[in-house]
Amino acid sequence: MPAQGPPARVTPMRGAHTQPALIRPGAAALPPEHAAPARDHDELARAIAALRAAVTATLHRPAFRQPATGDKSGNGRGEDSFSPVGSPVGSPVGSPHPRWRAGPDRDGSPGPKATGADRQDQAAIGPRDSLARRITALYLPRFAIERWERRMAASADAPPEDLPVALAVEGTHGPVIHAVNRAADLGGVHPGARVVDMRALCPGLRVEYADIGGDRAALDKLMLWARRWCPWTATDGASGLVMDTTGSDHLWGGEAEMLREIEARLSGLGFSSQLAVAPTHGAAWALSRFGGVREVCAARDLAGRTAPLPVRALRLTPET
């Protein structure tokens, strides 16, 4: 058996993250680490001078103006992630005053509480066009009945397409029609009528109770789902959505292409839709329900496109 040499000794190396080294007796020890080179005093002096200059510039910068107590104008407050156009946004560099996405008022009036700095900022921005916003309205005319049909199809209990079906809710004098499918619509059944009257008109009518709470929850989820097209969406009644698509349509190739994309996505979910884009919420709401297919209304065409619409397009309450 060959003779073995003297055992190796373990010598710890310098440094917090190094492994111990095995050194055989008689082997030369590793040379010590070189000392760190001396600091370059010229570079250090230049760094200190640059830091002093930055601190001096920061101290001489105008302080951000905080809103006074009770001021509801929103100055000095950051914009909500899902706020519509017209809410205050962060101040530009070097300006302590918040700016608005669409600029000041149309006539350039800064308001009764405006200061001289406010007037200077608004003069630099220019007047705001109150019709510069682009509002998209989504109307889902058969949302309740199509949601019911989806549930029936999922449970393999969907009725034939030619069978008239209506959803009903409780009314003052008995159940009333809430929603109908296409077959019931062709048979003369319409929402708001009493179920007993519609059964006399359409004897084969199948009546189910509507799920109002489920429809509302589903519409809320659809509202959040629609934020893939713009950052601000909201429900609009029991069967509609409203979206502030100002500045978002170019991501989809224009407003017409954006409406086609939205319509195709909703159709894939099983919902029929009517859509319109206009400068105001009221105009978009009216055109989506009483206008053409995928209406795109420019500001200059607003009066001409809305004038022929019926009185119902005014969104008047039943009391009015």
Side-chain angles (χ1 to χ4, degrees), residues 130-217:
S130 59
L131 299 179
R133 296 172 62 181
R134 303 300 293 168
I135 307 300
T136 301
L138 283 69
Y139 176 45
L140 308 171
R142 302 184 184 276
F143 180 71
I145 190 67
E146 287 173 343
R147 179 173 169 270
W148 178 86
E149 290 173 345
R150 289 186 62 189
R151 295 205 316 269
M152 293 297 102
S155 60
D157 192 23
E161 295 184 358
D162 57 349
L163 176 66
V165 179
L167 302 180
V169 295
E170 289 295 337
T172 305
H173 303 287
V176 296
I177 302 298
H178 174 69
V180 298
N181 65 352
R182 297 184 184 277
D185 191 12
L186 295 175
V189 182
H190 57 87
R194 295 194 306 167
V195 171
V196 292
D197 298 335
M198 294 298 99
R199 284 190 184 278
L201 179 65
C202 183
L205 180 65
R206 175 180 174 180
V207 179
E208 301 285 345
Y209 273 96
D211 182 12
I212 303 298
D215 292 341
R216 187 181 300 112

Side-chain angles (χ1 to χ4, degrees), residues 204-256:
L205 180 65
R206 175 180 174 180
V207 179
E208 301 285 345
Y209 273 96
D211 182 12
I212 303 298
D215 292 341
R216 187 181 300 112
L219 190 64
D220 289 339
K221 292 181 180 180
L222 196 65
M223 177 264 295
L224 297 176
W225 172 83
R227 287 183 179 169
R228 65 189 61 205
W229 289 289
C230 68
W232 190 91
T233 60
T235 57
D236 192 10
S239 58
L241 300 175
V242 58
M243 306 161 53
D244 190 339
T245 54
T246 307
S248 300
D249 59 280
H250 71 280
L251 300 174
W252 312 97
E255 291 178 333

Side-chain angles (χ1 to χ4, degrees), residues 255-287:
E255 291 178 333
E257 293 298 327
M258 181 185 67
L259 294 185
R260 291 190 183 93
E261 169 75 10
I262 297 174
E263 187 180 53
R265 289 294 189 96
L266 290 173
S267 178
L269 295 177
F271 299 121
S272 56
S273 60
Q274 300 171 203
L275 305 95
V277 181
T280 65
H281 178 202
W285 186 94
L287 291 173

